[in-house]
Amino acid sequence: MLSLIKKLRELLFWAPVSGVAYPNSAVLYETADIALADIMKLYERDPTCKSSIDLLAASTVGMGFYTTADETYPKATQAKAAVDDFCEDINLDGLLNDMAVRLIGCGNDFWLRLKPDRLTEFVRLPVDAVDKIALSSVQGLKLPYKVEGYHIRPIYQGTSGGALKPEAVLHWHIHQNVNSGFGVGLLQVLLHTLAVNNDKRPAYAWMKAKIERIMPKVFEKYAGPDV
């Protein structure tokens, strides 16, 4: 049933897109297998998941950015100071850590570039802001190969509409799924079921939650004093 729905969705969203924002080419709109907001709920509400992701992010970022300069350059000291001041002004170390948490957790982080030619003019988008990624396909085939734009969820859309050009978005991702354009983080693995032939294993997050619900009842029934 799920595979049939996915096929119907692909047929409905398979449409040519043209105009100012996109070239005249067939475009596939792909969504994440699991909503990124639902993935981050596991990070926010499960202590084990949060502590693990935070530890990995801290280990990855370390002490933050460390800048060096070519000492032979006459203005090396001023150049290094300018870069350090820039990093401090925009809190680049903090942004790096926040980005690492999202990247490791759900595999994606989106930054909106207000001015494409200036890195300082940007806004970090909510993790669930991007609803679909537009992917151009190989001519005559439904094989995505290039990101053509990002579609914003209706609740975040304004007067300019919900489509963003690819150059307007800094999409940080790891383990990118070529079929959807979205990255895949560690927490997706905990939320996916696994089906091999006729054998189906529930998601680890579901099994863990079930054990946590059962354990207090076990202690209440067997670990209390005898009556």
Side-chain angles (χ1 to χ4, degrees):
M1 184 64 182
L2 292 176
S3 60
L4 177 61
I5 294 175
K6 184 175 177 62
K7 292 294 182 184
L8 289 174
R9 187 192 69 186
E10 289 177 356
L11 291 174
L12 290 174
F13 287 114
W14 174 264
V17 177
S18 60
V20 178
Y22 306 104
N24 293 323
S25 61
V27 172
L28 276 171
Y29 288 97
E30 288 291 346
T31 58
D33 293 336
I34 302 175
L36 301 185
D38 292 340
I39 296 170
M40 291 308 293
K41 284 180 182 177
L42 189 61
Y43 166 79
E44 295 167 358
R45 301 179 184 182
D46 188 289
T48 305
C49 292
K50 186 180 187 307
S51 60
S52 299
I53 297 299
D54 286 345
L55 178 61
L56 288 171
S59 301
T60 302
V61 174
M63 296 297 293
F65 285 95
Y66 177 74
T67 59
T68 59
D70 185 359
E71 298 298 335
T72 60
Y73 178 61
K75 296 184 178 180
T77 303
Q78 295 92 322
K80 185 179 184 305
V83 172
D84 290 339
D85 291 341
F86 168 78
C87 294
E88 184 177 356
D89 290 341
I90 66 171
N91 189 22
L92 198 60
D93 291 339
L95 288 172
L96 178 62
N97 185 77
D98 293 341
M99 181 181 68
V101 168
R102 283 190 183 179
L103 280 179
I104 297 170
C106 69
N108 298 271
D109 195 19
F110 300 95
W111 296 7
L112 177 63
R113 301 180 67 173
L114 302 179
K115 295 181 180 179
D117 58 335
R118 291 181 61 84
L119 184 60
T120 55
E121 301 292 332
F122 67 88
V123 175
R124 289 189 72 221
L125 295 174
V127 69
D128 63 337
V130 175
D131 184 29
K132 297 188 288 281
I133 296 179
L135 300 168
S136 57
S137 61
V138 177
Q139 186 174 6
L141 299 172
K142 292 195 294 184
L143 295 176
Y145 75 98
K146 181 182 178 182
V147 173
E148 294 292 345
Y150 298 88
H151 193 273
I152 303 300
R153 291 171 61 87
I155 60 173
Y156 297 111
Q157 292 180 13
T159 56
S160 60
L164 295 175
K165 296 180 181 180
E167 59 267 23
V169 178
L170 284 173
H171 180 194
W172 309 93
H173 54 78
I174 55 174
H175 309 307
Q176 187 177 33
N177 186 340
V178 294
N179 294 323
S180 68
F182 285 90
V184 180
L186 296 182
L187 297 182
Q188 275 97 324
V189 179
L190 302 179
L191 292 168
H192 275 297
T193 59
L194 177 63
V196 179
N197 296 327
N198 295 324
D199 187 19
K200 187 175 182 179
R201 185 216 71 196
Y204 271 103
W206 180 88
M207 291 189 289
K208 181 176 181 292
K210 184 176 181 181
I211 293 172
E212 291 173 346
R213 289 195 304 269
I214 293 174
M215 287 302 293
K217 297 179 181 179
V218 173
F219 278 102
E220 290 174 2
K221 185 172 182 179
Y222 297 106
D226 295 335
V227 178

